[in-house]
Amino acid sequence: MKIVGVAACTVGIAHTYIAQEKLEEAGKKAGHEVHIETSGTIGVENALSPEQIQEADVVILAIDVKISDRERFESKRVLQVPTEVAIKSPNKLIQKAEEVVKEDQKNK
């Protein structure tokens, strides 16, 4: 499964990068390809390409603030959670993404 997402906390420092790391680790551990863009005090890092977004099965937004360019994900299944959820329960969040994708595939 291919997962893309954005991590952004209110301060844009620690939680943003911890959420990114936790999601990438949990996704890779589960055998998925994961790319998480960060939106912090120094701007956007690890920016997602249009191709990565197009190929993604699901989008995870671990955000505590509004993000710019959210419309990039309009045609995708999006799971939005606070950064705290991505940090404390990344494996459960990846499992939820798997369930959502399976459900969507079953309904096609």
Side-chain angles (χ1 to χ4, degrees), residues 11-83:
V11 178
I13 303 175
H15 286 99
T16 297
Y17 301 102
I18 296 169
Q20 173 201 18
E21 182 180 330
K22 295 282 190 178
L23 286 173
E24 288 179 345
E25 286 176 0
K28 287 175 184 168
K29 181 178 167 187
H32 305 302
E33 184 178 323
V34 184
H35 299 279
I36 304 295
E37 174 180 292
T38 56
S39 183
T41 54
I42 58 174
V44 172
E45 293 181 281
N46 304 315
L48 298 169
S49 71
E51 294 78 22
Q52 287 173 315
I53 295 168
Q54 183 180 0
E55 293 174 2
D57 297 299
V58 66
V59 176
I60 297 176
L61 300 179
I63 57 175
D64 301 325
V65 294
K66 284 188 175 188
I67 56 168
S68 58
D69 297 335
R70 186 181 172 130
E71 63 276 358
R72 300 177 288 170
F73 308 117
E74 282 180 353
S75 65
K76 294 292 175 183
R77 185 66 137 102
V78 176
L79 294 175
Q80 182 174 331
V81 297
T83 55

